[in-house]
Amino acid sequence: MTSIEGFDGHIERVDDLPLLFGLLQQMGVQSILDSGIQPHGNWQGLSPGWVVTVWLMHVLGAKNHLMEPVQIWVEQHLTTLRRLTGQAVEELDFTDDRLALCLEYLYDKVRWQAIEKDMGGRLIRFYSLDTDVLRLDATVGTVQHELGPQHTLFKVGKAKNGLYETQFKLMLASLDPLGLTLVVDVVAGNLADDPLYVPCYLRAKTIIKRIGVLVVGDSKMSTLVTRATIVRGQDHYLTPLADLKDEPGLLTELLRPWQGREAEATRIFLPEDRPTDGSEPDPKQALACGFEVSRPRRADVNGRTILWEERLLVIRSFSYMHTLQASLRRHLDQAEAAFRDLTPQRQRGKRQIQDEASLLAAIAQIEKKYRVQGLFHTDHRLEVTERSIRGYQDKPARVERKVRYHLSVTRNEAAIAAAEFQAGWRIYATNAPVDKLSLAQAVLAYREQYIEENIFRRLQGKLLSITPLYIQRDDHAEGLFHLLTIAARLLALGDYLAQQALAKEKTVLTGVYTGNAKRGTARPTTERMLKAFEGINLLIIPSTAQSSYHLTRLSSVQERILALLGLSRTLYTSLQTG
């Protein structure tokens, strides 16, 4: 709210608040929360559902999830909030204590899971969302909290950078292709990822309420019990195998019959690289090649034996192959130079290895450092020279003995060729039949795993910013994470609605890039569309008879965005007429 000196009136910044409110209402956030949360008997003022709705508008509009500034922000937007919501909004509805109580309500696992189920079901029904593909993945957040018995959430675990840090974990299940989160589990940072997939999958199934879903996840989803659970749920999985850990030697065994026959493997192309006239695509445009084999599988799940046929898709990514082969050649050169430096010519300042055990240990260390075990033939011989030195004064005569090892190194070309052949191959496992998931479809489906990473990027980015975390209590932190995943749902929904509308129109959205108004995009992000609403203000002129309200005129770009999102422009115009 801005007062105008010498003028009995004030201005409130409106910006994207009506748009955010419209999307939150479409999602049913307020009604779902109020039906799932029974506040304390002494609760007065706005209901928890309305408090959380307005708080989410603050989180997304002000790009700040801290509790402290919310009360002041509400005071600065009182008229806008009252006219949007139709509620008697007061700044005292948004004190730190009120917001903390809301976090406690959202923390309760039984209550939260019921809210999540209702919200996911509503979104699927309201927008007729495709539920063919479900993605599972986990991420971590690092905090600076002091460790202690009061924390069951913040625990020391291995972070993505390989270091051990105090952290928490989020396990998410999301729908393709919009990246809409259905289920989120917040767990302690010292837990392994593997056991988190089954509970998340089972909860997502209660929302989707269908069979035949393709469940996609990373290699940590490839544990046998997870795959068997998905089979038992009459669904299909697609996951890269953690074969180096669980089935070492499997890849080598599968590739052995194919060495020298790579040209016979099935080529995989992006849809846009296939000619529209039905002719064969250019082999140089292929992004991968592969083949498949089948095998029977068996596992016990909750005392029940599950039997199924599993397809192993052995895929070679050409870009990954070139990267690994270049890395291998670089490591070979580095290792060869390091081998030469082990036994230098005798000269001042060059120390010699004095015994065979030290030499062999140094060779093994180099092979391990550069990951070239078995790729070199090494041979060594000992050269000893002795020189008699006469006695002088009180020093007796002696024999000076000098030792030098000669190390000869040659590359094991056969092993190197085998290593280059294995570069870029990876095993994917699925129980989906070929008519539902072909080799090419599997590759393209897994390539879309970045959708899940987009959710994590948003949660860990500047807008939602789950880290750094300033809340100290575990229950408040978990409630906040649940709150922020509702905001992430809104962002994903905005992406989806705009992209679907533009695809239907076969047009692009222009006017959302600062400094380049003519630049268009068919895949605008919600963040970019929200930014286009900056500068909309509400002028409020009080009067003893009736106050008057004047809103900044909406631009054509802003009206187009509202239309793409399925929102009415009256969300804005009603602020000056309602």
Side-chain angles (χ1 to χ4, degrees):
M1 179 177 66
T2 303
S3 297
I4 304 175
E5 187 176 353
F7 177 74
D8 189 15
H10 63 272
I11 295 174
E12 286 186 3
R13 290 198 60 173
V14 174
D15 296 335
D16 52 17
L17 294 184
L19 185 155
L20 293 171
F21 177 74
L23 289 176
L24 289 168
Q25 288 299 93
Q26 283 189 1
M27 293 170 63
V29 171
Q30 175 267 321
S31 59
I32 290 173
L33 291 178
D34 278 337
S35 65
I37 296 175
Q38 297 299 321
H40 189 275
N42 294 329
W43 182 284
Q44 296 180 353
L46 289 183
S47 67
W50 280 115
V51 171
V52 171
T53 297
V54 174
W55 190 4
L56 285 168
M57 293 166 66
H58 170 264
V59 169
L60 293 164
K63 302 177 180 60
N64 187 342
H65 64 65
L66 299 182
M67 292 187 286
E68 179 187 1
V70 178
Q71 185 175 352
I72 297 175
W73 179 86
V74 168
E75 181 187 8
Q76 295 170 344
H77 298 81
L78 266 180
T79 301
T80 301
L81 294 174
R82 286 171 178 171
R83 294 172 78 82
L84 271 177
T85 63
Q87 302 293 310
V89 179
E90 299 290 345
E91 58 180 289
L92 291 179
D93 291 321
F94 298 90
T95 61
D96 283 4
D97 292 341
R98 274 293 183 91
L99 300 180
L101 278 174
C102 289
L103 294 183
E104 291 176 30
Y105 292 141
L106 293 175
Y107 156 75
D108 183 270
K109 283 184 170 53
V110 175
R111 181 184 289 119
W112 168 250
Q113 290 179 9
I115 290 171
E116 211 169 36
K117 183 177 180 180
D118 289 345
M119 191 175 301
R122 175 189 170 93
L123 291 174
I124 291 172
R125 292 190 305 271
F126 190 86
Y127 294 105
S128 301
L129 298 180
D130 186 356
T131 57
D132 288 341
V133 181
L134 181 73
R135 293 189 185 272
L136 306 179
D137 203 359
T139 189
V140 299
T142 302
V143 297
Q144 304 300 320
H145 295 50
E146 292 184 4
L147 294 176
Q150 75 275 17
H151 290 308
T152 58
L153 180 62
F154 306 124
K155 296 292 184 179
V156 174
K158 193 172 184 179
K160 298 285 187 182
N161 58 11
L163 302 177
Y164 285 87
E165 298 176 338
T166 306
Q167 61 185 20
F168 59 89
K169 285 189 177 182
L170 298 181
M171 182 73 206
L172 276 71
S174 305
L175 282 180
D176 262 11
L178 67 164
L180 178 72
T181 301
L182 286 184
V183 169
V184 59
D185 288 325
V186 186
V187 298
N190 60 346
L191 295 182
D193 289 359
D194 302 8
L196 305 180
Y197 286 82
V198 168
C200 196
Y201 159 72
L202 293 176
R203 284 180 51 216
K205 281 281 288 183
T206 65
I207 300 174
I208 295 176
K209 296 180 180 178
R210 56 161 291 190
I211 61 175
V213 178
L214 178 63
V215 185
V216 183
D218 60 12
S219 61
K220 294 184 285 294
M221 196 187 85
S222 68
T223 59
L224 192 58
V225 68
T226 302
R227 285 181 275 161
T229 301
I230 295 172
V231 173
R232 184 180 181 183
Q234 301 182 62
D235 292 319
H236 305 117
Y237 58 80
L238 174 63
T239 174
L241 285 185
D243 53 291
L244 293 179
K245 180 183 73 171
D246 299 332
E247 300 181 75
L250 176 62
L251 180 61
T252 302
E253 178 186 342
L254 293 174
L255 290 178
R256 188 174 294 117
W258 284 84
Q259 189 156 4
R261 298 172 49 210
E262 302 97 307
E264 300 176 25
T266 303
R267 289 292 192 271
I268 298 166
F269 300 86
L270 291 173
E272 57 267 28
D273 291 333
R274 288 190 170 277
T276 57
D277 59 3
S279 60
E280 288 297 317
D282 182 357
K284 295 180 181 179
Q285 296 291 328
L287 61 93
C289 68
F291 61 92
E292 67 174 84
V293 297
S294 298
R295 65 177 181 177
R297 300 301 286 163
R298 172 180 178 153
D300 292 330
V301 178
N302 298 329
R304 178 182 170 186
T305 300
I306 309 297
L307 303 172
W308 74 97
E309 190 76 10
E310 181 174 75
R311 297 164 59 206
L312 296 182
L313 314 179
V314 189
I315 308 296
R316 187 183 213 181
S317 165
F318 291 138
S319 63
Y320 189 38
M321 173 194 73
H322 294 315
T323 299
L324 291 182
Q325 288 179 347
S327 176
L328 174 62
R329 289 190 289 270
R330 186 170 61 253
H331 287 172
L332 289 171
D333 293 340
Q334 291 171 335
E336 197 165 11
F339 284 138
R340 287 196 300 268
D341 291 340
L342 288 179
T343 56
Q345 293 286 341
R346 287 199 186 100
Q347 54 183 297
R348 187 181 298 275
K350 297 291 186 180
R351 301 184 63 179
Q352 300 289 334
I353 294 177
Q354 298 296 311
D355 59 89
E356 185 179 29
S358 298
L359 177 63
L360 295 177
I363 292 172
Q365 185 177 8
I366 290 172
E367 290 179 332
K368 181 179 179 181
K369 178 180 179 180
Y370 295 108
R371 300 191 294 276
V372 293
Q373 293 94 331
L375 302 184
F376 284 96
H377 295 302
T378 60
D379 189 22
H380 60 275
R381 63 182 177 84
L382 176 63
E383 176 188 291
V384 179
T385 58
E386 295 181 348
R387 184 166 66 96
S388 297
I389 300 177
R390 294 180 299 172
Y392 178 72
Q393 294 182 354
D394 58 341
K395 294 181 180 179
R398 70 183 191 280
V399 175
E400 183 181 74
R401 189 171 185 269
K402 292 186 178 180
V403 174
R404 183 191 176 214
Y405 280 95
H406 292 266
L407 179 65
S408 61
V409 178
T410 57
R411 297 191 179 190
N412 185 345
E413 298 297 343
I416 292 173
E420 287 183 333
F421 169 69
Q422 290 201 14
W425 292 98
R426 196 170 190 186
I427 307 173
Y428 295 82
T430 183
N431 65 321
V434 177
D435 58 353
K436 180 177 176 63
L437 189 71
S438 67
L439 193 71
Q441 289 171 330
V443 172
L444 297 177
Y446 194 77
R447 277 172 60 88
E448 298 297 316
Q449 190 70 359
Y450 73 87
I451 293 173
E452 195 78 359
E453 298 298 330
N454 279 345
I455 303 171
F456 298 149
R457 173 184 56 79
R458 276 175 160 153
L459 288 172
Q460 295 175 337
K462 292 182 179 180
L463 184 57
L464 301 181
S465 186
I466 59 173
T467 56
L469 182 69
Y470 301 104
I471 289 177
Q472 296 297 314
R473 284 177 47 172
D474 288 11
D475 57 343
H476 287 176
E478 190 165 341
L480 177 63
F481 299 149
H482 291 159
L483 175 81
L484 294 178
T485 60
I486 297 177
R489 288 170 170 89
L490 182 147
L491 296 174
L493 185 63
D495 290 353
Y496 174 75
L497 293 176
Q499 291 168 19
Q500 289 293 103
L502 289 169
K504 186 176 181 179
E505 297 175 0
K506 297 182 180 180
T507 57
V508 295
L509 177 63
T510 59
V512 291
Y513 289 94
T514 304
N516 192 352
K518 294 183 179 180
R519 180 181 174 185
T521 175
R523 300 179 63 86
T525 63
T526 306
E527 292 92 332
R528 190 171 293 281
M529 290 187 288
L530 292 176
K531 187 175 177 61
F533 284 81
E534 290 181 356
I536 298 179
N537 300 298
L538 181 65
L539 171 62
I540 304 158
I541 304 175
S543 172
T544 54
Q546 183 178 3
S547 299
S548 60
Y549 305 88
H550 304 274
L551 185 74
T552 305
R553 185 186 298 273
L554 293 177
S555 68
S556 58
V557 173
Q558 292 162 348
E559 293 200 4
R560 177 156 168 73
I561 291 173
L562 290 173
L564 292 174
L565 297 177
L567 299 175
S568 171
R569 66 189 304 271
T570 58
L571 284 168
Y572 282 87
T573 58
S574 63
L575 293 178
Q576 59 186 356
T577 60

